[in-house]
Amino acid sequence: MKLEIRGVSKTFQSKRGSLTAFDPIDLDIREGEFVCLLGPSGCGKSTLLNIIAGLDKPTRGEVRVDGRVVTRAGTERVMIFQNAALFPWLNVFDNVKFGLNMIGVAKPERQIVARRYLQMVHLAEFERAFVHELSGGMKQRVAIARALALNPDILLMDEPFGALDAQTRDVLHDELQAIWSNTRKTIVFVTHNVREAVVLGDRVIVLSARPARIKQEFVIDLPRLRQIESYAVVDRARAISALLKEDTHASQRDVAANVLHELEAQMVGDDVL
Amino acid sequence: MLDQKNIARKIIFFVALIAAWQLLAASGIAPEYIFPSPVGVAQTLARGFANGTFLIGVATSLQRLLVGFAISAGAGVLLGLALGRIKLLDETVGALVLGLQALPSICWLPLAVLWFGLSESAILFVVVMGALLSITLATEAGIKNTPPLYLRAARNLGARGWKLYALVILPAALPAIITGMKLGWSFAWRSLMAAELLSASLSWGLGHLLSFGRDLNDMNQVVAVMLLIIAIGLVVDRALFAPLEARVRERWGLGAQ
């Protein structure tokens, strides 16, 4: 098994008391599988992704990659964040080369690899552009190229298309499916958009409201390339939506979900600094 | 169009101001050594540049300023980086820096004279004390306010050790550092002028020319040198720091300040 999540739970401690983000979660993900984690906002799915990335520590349990326990961030598991997190002081080309520079790839090879992935995301002619000159969709493409350049085994995507307009998102869904077909990366994709999960995932894991647990799993065996308005996708999404709806109501009543959101942001800061 | 109107208003205002000044001076309400005329000041400026004294003054002062500022900038960024990242240092040295910042830098002059004598080193010391602390504090603030997302993304892409500092933490803080440099530059300029005024026996900076004008009862020279000091301060701020700051803020995706 490529990725094993074993009894992972997370409890945040603060002055206002403790808050359980999720109960022990067990999940296995196969090599080359595209898994979507779907749940109401504030249910702790981003925290789970951070734990897999090694950017956050579980309170209990462990994450294993190829049988080895994850203890810290590593370039075989690269995260793509909701707002791309590109470095504004570097141009597009240097952003894509950043990780290669960090892991000590020689300069000529960095250039070749970075060009290859910029071509893959159709941004070859923007390599000299700076981040503030790019649209939201272009930023996410650069972030994808920057992650792929490190040739990670696992891509962790935290609502990467959540802030984009619908047209851009549809195009990026196509591109991501194509990239996945070509590279066969293992992808864990967090979203609260049901149709997005159905379009992208081999498997959709539905999480409950906080404290999150795995509520149900759906295997999506539709042929690719899937389109978001296709009847089959909408049909599958309907069943999942119904299941999710109960919990969304629950989570909106749950003031603590907002507190958790704040805590996640704080914890992440403390952890790094 | 608004810009043109704006500029036109400014020009009209300053022309009117100078005309009023000239009229007042010509009316003879006070002797020239009390109230100089714009024509007299202009003549003094022209003469000062023609015989080289003003050029030497500008060069001497700018040289002191550049050396002092370079030391402050280098040391201030390093110190600010250390304070921003090491909690123990922040709680101890950080408190000291904050306390010292309350002291106008010219108050270091007596101490500097006792330590270094009335020398270039004493002036340099006062300039450095003027600029160093504000650059340190601005850098520290910039480091502390680095969006955690950049650090997480960087660690996730394999950055650690000195590369994390040099290629992520410092560049992320650059907008704050440049604002600190701009502030530090203007503090250094003020400190230098004060120090030169109070140490007139050294070689001829602008502060000395100002003090010398007073000694000669030459009000034209006093005002001419004041104008020069204003001009240099404005030019560096508007021509160097303001565009740099605007460019960096734009590129870093920050709004105008």
Side-chain angles (χ1 to χ4, degrees):
Chain A
M1 201 53 68
K2 187 73 199 170
L3 180 63
E4 298 161 275
I5 297 166
R6 287 280 171 272
V8 167
S9 69
K10 180 77 185 177
T11 304
F12 290 105
Q13 301 290 341
S14 81
K15 285 171 208 142
R16 282 181 279 185
S18 69
L19 196 62
T20 305
F22 40 83
D23 286 337
I25 282 183
D26 289 285
L27 182 62
D28 285 340
I29 293 169
R30 287 187 304 278
E31 172 128 41
E33 196 178 12
F34 198 140
V35 171
C36 291
L37 298 179
L38 181 68
S41 59
C43 82
K45 47 196 193 306
S46 295
T47 307
L48 183 58
L49 209 59
N50 276 315
I51 290 171
I52 299 173
L55 294 169
D56 204 347
K57 290 199 186 334
T59 308
R60 252 175 243 105
E62 61 189 24
V63 173
R64 275 180 248 150
V65 173
D66 294 325
R68 283 191 303 277
V69 176
V70 167
T71 54
R72 57 185 217 163
T75 51
E76 80 283 357
R77 289 160 279 129
V78 176
M79 181 100 147
I80 294 172
F81 301 90
Q82 173 162 11
N83 61 356
L86 300 177
F87 302 126
W89 51 91
L90 300 176
N91 65 24
V92 165
F93 196 40
D94 290 337
N95 261 290
V96 177
K97 285 189 297 185
F98 182 88
L100 298 167
N101 181 10
M102 292 302 119
I103 62 170
V105 173
K107 217 170 186 177
E109 202 191 327
R110 272 184 235 163
Q111 308 217 345
I112 296 167
V113 173
R115 289 232 161 79
R116 187 193 312 148
Y117 287 102
L118 273 175
Q119 247 152 27
M120 188 182 272
V121 297
H122 310 294
L123 284 177
E125 65 271 45
F126 288 94
E127 63 175 47
R128 299 281 153 222
F130 277 90
V131 176
H132 72 277
E133 297 162 329
L134 305 178
S135 68
M138 289 159 97
K139 284 181 192 164
Q140 280 304 353
R141 287 201 179 108
V142 177
I144 291 169
R146 183 173 73 169
L148 288 174
L150 282 166
N151 196 20
D153 295 342
I154 301 174
L155 273 185
L156 304 167
M157 307 183 80
D158 188 5
E159 302 199 31
F161 308 144
L164 305 179
D165 62 83
Q167 286 78 15
T168 309
R169 199 168 56 216
D170 292 353
V171 172
L172 282 168
H173 285 158
D174 290 354
E175 286 186 19
L176 184 59
Q177 290 184 79
I179 288 169
W180 177 76
S181 302
N182 292 331
T183 61
R184 287 287 155 181
K185 300 287 180 201
T186 306
I187 300 182
V188 184
F189 190 105
V190 161
T191 179
H192 60 257
N193 181 330
V194 181
R195 287 194 197 175
E196 178 169 76
V198 174
V199 166
L200 295 174
D202 292 327
R203 226 175 355 140
V204 176
I205 315 283
V206 179
L207 298 171
S208 70
R210 192 198 62 82
R213 58 193 166 71
I214 295 178
K215 200 165 180 183
Q216 200 169 331
E217 260 188 54
F218 295 83
V219 174
I220 312 292
D221 47 8
L222 303 172
R224 307 218 180 224
L225 221 129
R226 301 173 191 158
Q227 300 294 332
I228 203 154
E229 332 72 7
S230 76
Y231 178 75
V233 166
V234 175
D235 196 43
R236 292 290 178 102
R238 193 174 297 136
I240 301 176
S241 286
L243 185 69
L244 203 61
K245 218 165 239 165
E246 309 159 13
D247 269 352
T248 309
H249 290 310
S251 102
Q252 275 165 356
R253 281 196 305 271
D254 181 7
V255 187
N258 295 322
V259 179
L260 175 63
H261 229 71
E262 281 170 36
L263 279 173
E264 278 181 339
Q266 275 175 23
M267 289 296 155
V268 159
D270 291 349
D271 177 40
V272 174
L273 294 165
Chain B
M1 284 319 277
L2 196 81
D3 261 8
Q4 272 178 20
K5 256 188 183 166
N6 206 340
I7 290 168
R9 277 195 203 120
K10 280 196 172 75
I11 290 174
I12 291 168
F13 170 73
F14 281 105
V15 168
L17 186 71
I18 292 169
W21 176 15
Q22 178 66 37
L23 278 175
L24 210 59
S27 72
I29 54 161
E32 188 153 25
Y33 65 86
I34 299 289
F35 195 83
S37 68
V39 174
V41 170
Q43 281 167 348
T44 306
L45 270 175
R47 198 169 54 242
F49 276 108
N51 69 21
T53 47
F54 282 6
L55 273 181
I56 291 170
V58 169
T60 309
S61 290
L62 280 183
Q63 193 202 340
R64 287 176 179 145
L65 189 64
L66 278 176
V67 173
F69 182 73
I71 294 171
S72 308
V77 168
L78 284 180
L79 191 56
L81 186 62
L83 293 183
R85 295 294 295 188
I86 305 167
K87 209 165 180 192
L88 180 67
L89 271 188
D90 186 31
E91 286 164 355
T92 53
V93 180
L96 178 71
V97 169
L98 216 55
L100 288 181
Q101 231 238 345
L103 185 69
S105 66
I106 192 60
C107 299
W108 288 99
L109 187 68
L111 183 147
V113 169
L114 288 176
W115 277 2
F116 304 108
L118 195 54
S119 63
E120 286 294 327
S121 310
I123 292 187
L124 197 62
F125 184 79
V126 171
V127 172
V128 169
M129 290 319 287
L132 175 70
L133 301 178
S134 58
I135 295 175
T136 302
L137 290 173
T139 305
E140 182 193 354
I143 302 281
K144 281 186 175 165
N145 293 330
T146 301
L149 187 61
Y150 290 149
L151 297 180
R152 293 206 296 147
R155 281 206 304 160
N156 194 223
L157 294 165
R160 45 185 56 92
W162 71 268
K163 280 185 172 174
L164 185 64
Y165 279 84
L167 302 179
V168 180
I169 292 174
L170 272 183
L174 196 59
I177 292 174
I178 287 176
T179 305
M181 296 261 182
K182 188 173 134 178
L183 200 65
W185 176 271
S186 78
F187 278 148
W189 188 226
R190 279 147 220 249
S191 309
L192 176 65
M193 287 306 111
E196 285 186 353
L197 268 173
L198 294 176
S199 60
S201 64
L202 284 170
S203 71
W204 291 58
L206 287 172
H208 305 119
L209 291 174
L210 197 55
S211 169
F212 192 59
R214 188 205 59 191
D215 293 343
L216 296 178
N217 260 356
D218 185 350
M219 189 55 109
N220 282 328
Q221 168 145 347
V222 169
V223 174
V225 174
M226 282 167 71
L227 288 177
L228 267 181
I229 293 170
I230 292 173
I232 291 171
L234 271 184
V235 164
V236 171
D237 192 68
R238 294 291 154 82
L240 196 73
F241 283 106
L244 189 66
E245 195 178 26
R247 214 182 119 128
V248 166
R249 290 190 69 82
E250 187 200 6
R251 184 168 289 176
W252 266 236
L254 303 161
Q257 204 175 35

